[in-house]
């Protein structure tokens, strides 16, 4: 007999609430530990690269005395563990240091870039999520027909294409051949909303195509899995139409799995936007990180990597929590 069955009925809701809270707290703790491990790997990875920030700033023609003086000023002469602990303590206070290239605060420089990246990811999500779910439902509604096969072939074909290929293909068609849109997505603070949206069409379309295939395929699979359950057969025997069964019986019960897939793809949109921003010269976090890698601006690289990891871990944690809340079986692992 399960432990929960031995509890008095009046106490079960409180017991279940505590169990859910413990599961969520455990997932949150695992996320924090994972983020700590990733922060360590990021710091060590940027420190073991050949050369250092002093050499990158002064160039190869710098004298040893000048390099030694700059290393002392930047704190590079301290032990690795001491520098990591100081960096981690500053990060926990929201201080990512100072850019080696322009001397500005990394935290303030990241604010505008992070806003641009989140705006692009949100625009792509607003287009891709409703479109993908609709295509998945449409594919199930007309399962086995030419429409179903066309949607499956199109979405799986798009998934197989890498983002840089899709981006350059869109530039070739809409910028070079047709001349409708600019090949670069340059945006700035004083830009109007209409001009900003117009400049973001091509990168937004690239990201939309990158996630639409996956969400559509998983929506179709979740609905077909639900339609195979016995209670759906009972609805069919009662004479309910296929559209009614899908919208009123299958879709609500498959919503947890679909939501999980959507959140995971949102994480991909935010963390995987680097390639798209570089292709379209979009001034977001990805472009900022690539420029900083080229210039060996280590504090900016560390901050960008840590933010991407934090967003990715946070959205995956959200997907876990949604799954736990939506599926009672996950609250009682074997």
């Amino acid at each position: 007999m399960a432990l929960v069955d031995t509890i008095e009925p009046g106490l079960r809701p409180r017991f279940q609430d505590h169990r859910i809270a413990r599961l969520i707290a455990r997932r949150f703790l695992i996320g924090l530990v994972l983020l700590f491990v990733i922060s360590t790997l990021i710091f060590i990875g940027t420190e073991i690269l050949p050369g250092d920030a002093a050499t990158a700033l002064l160039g190869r023609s710098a004298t040893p005395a000048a390099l030694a003086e700059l290393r002392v000023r930047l704190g590079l002469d301290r032990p690795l563990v001491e520098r990591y602990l100081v960096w981690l303590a500053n990060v926990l206070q929201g201080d990512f240091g100072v850019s080696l290239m322009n001397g500005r605060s990394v935290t303030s420089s990241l604010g505008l870039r992070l806003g641009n990246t989140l705006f692009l990811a949100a625009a792509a999500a607003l287009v891709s999520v409703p479109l993908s779910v609709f295509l998945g439902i449409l594919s199930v509604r007309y399962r086995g027909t030419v429409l179903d096969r066309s949607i499956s072939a199109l979405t799986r074909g798009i998934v197989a294409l890498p983002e840089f290929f899709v981006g350059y293909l869109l530039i070739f068609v809409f910028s070079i051949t047709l001349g409708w849109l600019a090949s670069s997505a340059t945006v700035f603070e004083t830009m109007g909303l209409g001009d900003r949206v117009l400049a973001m069409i091509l990168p937004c379309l690239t990201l939309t195509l990158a996630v639409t295939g996956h969400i559509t395929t998983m929506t179709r699979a979740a609905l077909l899995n639900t339609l195979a359950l016995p209670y759906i057969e009972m609805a069919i025997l009662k004479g309910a139409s296929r559209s009614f069964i899908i919208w009123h019986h299958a879709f609500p019960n498959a919503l947890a799995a679909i939501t999980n897939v959507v959140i995971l793809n949102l994480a991909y949109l935010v963390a995987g936007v680097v390639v798209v921003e570089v292709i379209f010269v979009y001034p977001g976090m990805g472009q900022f990180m690539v420029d900083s890698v080229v210039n060996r601006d280590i504090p900016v690289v560390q901050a960008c990597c840590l933010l991407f990891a934090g967003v990715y871990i946070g959205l995956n944690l959200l997907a876990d929590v949604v799954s736990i809340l939506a599926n009672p079986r996950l609250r009682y692992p074997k």
Side-chain angles (χ1 to χ4, degrees):
M1 181 180 292
L3 178 62
V4 68
D5 295 333
T6 64
I7 300 175
E8 296 180 8
L11 298 178
R12 286 181 185 176
R14 179 179 299 178
F15 176 81
Q16 293 174 354
D17 290 344
H18 290 171
R19 189 179 187 87
I20 293 172
R22 284 200 302 271
L23 286 172
I24 293 175
R26 184 183 302 170
R27 293 288 197 281
F28 185 74
L29 184 60
I30 292 174
L32 288 180
V33 172
L34 185 58
L35 191 59
F36 172 74
V37 173
I38 291 177
S39 73
T40 307
L41 294 177
I42 290 172
F43 189 83
I44 294 176
T46 52
E47 290 294 328
I48 63 175
L49 291 175
D52 58 15
T55 306
L57 286 174
L58 298 180
R60 296 183 178 179
S61 60
T63 61
L67 285 173
E69 181 183 355
L70 185 56
R71 287 192 179 107
V72 172
R73 189 152 55 89
L74 295 176
L76 300 177
D77 59 327
R78 299 176 184 172
L80 180 65
V81 176
E82 180 183 346
R83 279 183 282 144
Y84 171 69
L85 293 177
V86 171
W87 174 75
L88 187 62
N90 291 332
V91 167
L92 292 176
Q93 300 174 33
D95 181 11
F96 289 98
V98 178
S99 171
L100 300 178
M101 300 308 300
N102 53 29
R104 296 177 181 173
S105 168
V106 176
T107 305
S108 61
S109 300
L110 285 176
L112 179 61
R113 300 282 188 154
L114 181 61
N116 288 338
T117 294
L118 293 179
F119 190 79
L120 175 61
L126 284 175
V127 177
S128 62
V129 173
L131 176 64
S132 304
V133 174
F134 174 73
L135 288 177
I137 294 174
L138 197 64
S139 180
V140 171
R141 172 63 181 83
Y142 297 98
R143 184 185 183 189
T145 64
V146 175
L147 180 62
D148 176 32
R149 296 192 184 96
S150 300
I151 292 174
S152 297
L154 181 64
T155 53
R156 290 172 185 173
I158 292 174
V159 168
L161 295 176
E163 294 168 25
F164 70 88
F165 180 79
V166 175
Y168 286 125
L169 184 63
L170 292 176
I171 289 175
F172 176 76
V173 173
F174 292 102
S175 300
I176 299 175
T177 304
L178 300 176
W180 291 353
L181 299 168
S183 59
S184 63
T186 304
V187 297
F188 43 90
E189 287 184 82
T190 57
M191 198 174 194
L193 181 62
D195 293 334
R196 180 182 287 262
V197 171
L198 187 64
M200 289 173 44
I201 287 179
L202 288 185
C204 181
L205 184 57
T206 304
L207 286 174
T208 299
L209 292 175
V211 299
T212 295
H214 189 212
I215 298 178
T216 302
T217 302
M218 295 307 295
T219 300
R220 182 179 185 276
L223 284 174
L224 289 179
N225 187 44
T226 306
L227 287 172
L229 296 176
Y231 75 92
I232 296 294
E233 295 180 9
M234 179 60 69
I236 296 174
L237 292 175
K238 287 183 177 180
S241 68
R242 188 168 179 80
S243 297
F244 183 86
I245 291 173
I246 291 174
W247 284 107
H248 290 83
H249 296 293
F251 184 70
N253 288 288
L255 195 56
I258 295 172
T259 303
N260 195 292
V261 172
V262 168
I263 294 175
L264 291 178
N265 277 272
L266 291 180
Y268 171 79
L269 276 178
V270 176
V273 77
V274 176
V275 175
V276 176
E277 289 186 354
V278 172
I279 291 174
F280 294 98
V281 200
Y282 184 78
M285 287 276 296
Q287 180 70 50
F288 194 31
M289 187 176 72
V290 171
D291 292 341
S292 301
V293 170
V294 173
N295 296 320
R296 295 190 59 81
D297 199 344
I298 302 300
V300 177
V301 175
Q302 292 170 339
C304 291
C305 291
L306 192 60
L307 279 179
F308 279 131
V311 171
Y312 195 82
I313 292 173
L315 288 174
N316 274 274
L317 177 65
L318 179 61
D320 275 353
V321 172
V322 171
S323 299
I324 292 172
L325 295 176
N327 190 350
R329 288 177 296 182
L330 297 178
R331 304 171 198 170
Y332 304 99
K334 296 180 180 178

